Amino acid sequence: MNNNSNQPGEFDAVLGGEQQNQNYGVVLGGIEGIKNRLNSEDDEVRIAALEDALKYGDVGVDLIIEELYNSSDKIHDHGICLLRKAGIKGKQALLDYDPWLVLTTFQDWRINYHVSIDDPIGRAYCVSSKYELLRLFQDPKAKYIEAIKLQEKCKKNISKTAFKYFTDPLIKARELLTNLKALLIGDYCDTWTLRYRESKINVTSIHPLIKAYPNLELLHIRGRMLEEDILKPDLILQVRNHQNNSIIPIKPLKHESLKTLIVDADGISDSNLAKVCNLNLPSLEYFELWLNRSDLSNINIDSLTPLLSGESFPNLAYLAVRQCENITEVAPAIVNSPIMENLKVLELTDGNISNGDVLLNSPAINHLHTLDVSGNRLDKNTIDQLSTLKCRVIADSQFSDRYYSVWE
């Protein structure tokens, strides 16, 4: 082993080029050398130093995080790319800096309205009928598809079958679509008319669909969730305890890969909401819940218990609850729950928050990156008070409809 501390190691840098007198060249070892190079005025030198920093574990990651807040755009963007490779610590740093750099949404895929597949990578293919979906499956490149949006413009007379028109072929194609990561399924919904468009689709069980795609990372379901059980297992078996003859409850469905779940409901029953919140989703980071399209609806707070305890979604970073009539009861339950420890974005929008006291008096709110209370008809005084919070506060369109860019 070479014990000469004056010689650079595998990850060390030498200050001074070949034309410089070697007597003046300084050997810079380890992390101190990287710190020195990060003081350079040359962006390329600093970028190279950041790449080397990644090789030094947590100490190096700390340097990249520091540069993220104090660097030019070019170095800033490169730092983001490096932190995405830096494991749990890098991901946590990005969540603290800007959660949208980490969260999985359909914005990660370009929209493609052509049924023929030209380039399946990085694109979301939009389909409006079962016929178009089957045509998509016949394409030789179908096995590479990453994202699909299935949006049916259905008539009322097929409202009970429209959802199954999509789910049945999808389940049968599970061995073909091995690369599928993102899926939207439900009725077509124009963002601008979102609040005034009642859904004509009854969402049927998504239980077999979730089981069919264990690698799915994003699932957005849209429609009416009042009449049918949306998490009914495809095969129900009653298991009894031989000692007391009681029925053993079925364990909640577990999905290891799902990172984003959007429940876009034009009405949802307490039973369905409770089942959704009781899903076992250890990787879930983003949960968005719409209770209705045009009217406010109450939430049975007991239905949220598995979610708020952190047991169902232990890694949740983003929570949105929209169109909630009893948000003044739901908000305290959320801000006083264990999930606030990891939560970075909280959206309580399009409700009727009577005042901001519960938010102003909660220390946990200041640990958020963003609090969104848009569309709650808050008065100016309350908004001014909320603006004093340490987190970023969005309070748009208190007296008019708001366009949600995250939808599409």
Side-chain angles (χ1 to χ4, degrees):
M1 179 182 294
N2 186 352
N3 294 320
N4 189 344
S5 60
N6 291 324
Q7 296 300 317
E10 179 183 358
F11 300 138
D12 296 343
V14 177
L15 182 66
E18 294 180 356
Q19 297 180 355
Q20 184 177 0
N21 189 314
Q22 291 189 3
N23 291 332
Y24 296 98
V26 180
V27 176
L28 299 175
I31 205 71
E32 292 302 321
I34 291 175
K35 291 179 180 179
N36 190 293
R37 290 155 63 198
L38 288 174
N39 290 325
S40 172
E41 296 182 358
D42 187 331
D43 281 353
E44 296 303 324
V45 172
R46 294 175 68 188
I47 287 174
L50 287 178
E51 292 178 349
D52 288 341
L54 197 59
K55 303 169 185 176
Y56 282 86
D58 287 351
V59 178
V61 171
D62 287 337
L63 289 180
I64 300 174
I65 294 171
E66 186 176 338
E67 287 297 304
L68 190 66
Y69 288 88
N70 304 309
S71 60
S72 64
D73 289 343
K74 185 176 181 181
I75 296 174
H76 168 272
D77 293 344
H78 199 76
I80 290 173
C81 293
L82 291 174
L83 287 174
R84 284 176 173 157
K85 304 175 184 178
I88 295 176
K89 184 166 186 173
K91 185 172 186 176
Q92 187 60 49
L94 291 176
L95 282 171
D96 292 337
Y97 181 76
D98 183 354
W100 295 107
L101 295 171
V102 179
L103 298 172
T104 302
T105 70
F106 264 109
Q107 292 183 0
D108 298 333
W109 289 272
R110 291 174 55 195
I111 303 302
N112 193 313
Y113 292 97
H114 303 290
V115 177
S116 59
I117 303 173
D118 49 358
D119 181 6
I121 308 302
R123 299 194 181 188
Y125 285 81
C126 294
V127 174
S128 60
S129 69
K130 180 180 177 180
Y131 171 73
E132 290 182 356
L133 181 62
L134 295 177
R135 275 187 57 194
L136 197 69
F137 292 166
Q138 293 171 0
D139 194 295
K141 297 180 181 178
K143 62 182 179 180
Y144 301 112
I145 291 178
E146 292 183 341
I148 303 177
K149 285 188 170 186
L150 306 173
Q151 302 179 97
E152 177 73 62
K153 296 181 180 179
C154 76
K155 298 179 181 179
K156 189 173 183 179
N157 61 344
I158 61 170
S159 62
K160 293 185 178 181
T161 57
F163 197 82
K164 284 181 67 65
Y165 278 165
F166 282 145
T167 56
D168 288 351
L170 276 171
I171 293 168
K172 292 178 181 178
R174 59 185 177 273
E175 295 182 2
L176 171 65
L177 303 177
T178 56
N179 204 40
L180 189 65
K181 297 178 181 178
L183 176 65
L184 183 155
I185 180 168
D187 62 323
Y188 179 82
C189 193
D190 188 308
T191 306
W192 290 101
T193 61
L194 173 65
R195 299 175 183 226
Y196 313 106
R197 184 188 296 273
E198 292 185 1
S199 176
K200 296 183 176 66
I201 285 185
N202 288 339
V203 176
T204 55
S205 178
I206 61 172
H207 191 285
L209 185 66
I210 294 175
K211 288 184 65 177
Y213 290 93
N215 297 321
L216 197 66
E217 296 181 4
L218 186 161
L219 177 60
H220 182 163
I221 56 172
R222 177 188 290 165
R224 289 175 54 81
M225 305 177 198
L226 289 168
E227 291 83 5
E228 300 191 43
D229 183 349
I230 66 171
L231 278 165
K232 182 179 179 180
D234 45 1
L235 180 62
I236 301 178
L237 295 175
Q238 286 189 348
V239 181
R240 291 184 177 274
N241 187 324
H242 292 296
Q243 294 182 347
N244 56 19
N245 201 35
S246 62
I247 297 175
I248 299 176
I250 298 174
K251 290 184 178 180
L253 179 62
K254 184 175 184 178
H255 194 288
E256 297 280 1
S257 303
L258 201 64
K259 296 180 180 179
T260 297
L261 177 60
I262 301 174
V263 178
D264 174 6
D266 186 16
I268 184 169
S269 66
D270 289 339
S271 174
N272 278 332
L273 179 57
K275 283 194 171 186
V276 168
C277 292
N278 201 40
L279 286 169
N280 188 351
L281 305 177
S283 299
L284 197 75
E285 299 168 340
Y286 181 120
F287 180 50
E288 182 176 342
L289 173 64
W290 284 79
L291 296 179
N292 219 316
R293 292 277 173 81
S294 56
D295 300 317
L296 298 180
S297 298
N298 284 330
I299 283 183
N300 182 337
I301 297 180
D302 290 340
S303 302
L304 301 178
T305 299
L307 182 157
L308 298 180
S309 69
E311 294 178 2
S312 294
F313 315 149
N315 288 300
L316 196 67
Y318 170 102
L319 174 62
V321 178
R322 302 195 174 121
Q323 298 288 105
C324 180
E325 186 170 11
N326 60 332
I327 193 66
T328 53
E329 300 174 34
V330 173
I334 293 174
V335 300
N336 294 317
S337 70
I339 64 168
M340 290 298 294
E341 184 176 344
N342 294 324
L343 212 61
K344 296 300 176 185
V345 179
L346 176 60
E347 294 196 17
L348 305 173
T349 55
D350 297 312
N352 56 358
I353 297 177
S354 57
N355 60 66
D357 289 349
V358 65
L359 303 175
L360 290 165
N361 297 329
S362 172
I365 291 291
N366 285 315
H367 296 303
L368 293 172
H369 177 277
T370 300
L371 170 67
D372 192 338
V373 289
S374 299
N376 278 289
R377 298 184 178 271
L378 294 170
D379 58 47
K380 184 179 182 303
N381 180 57
T382 300
I383 294 174
D384 289 343
Q385 288 181 301
L386 290 172
S387 67
T388 64
L389 293 170
K390 294 180 181 178
C391 62
R392 175 175 175 244
V393 176
I394 301 175
D396 298 337
S397 306
Q398 291 298 328
F399 299 97
S400 61
D401 292 335
R402 178 187 173 207
Y403 171 71
Y404 288 94
S405 61
V406 297
W407 272 79
E408 305 293 341

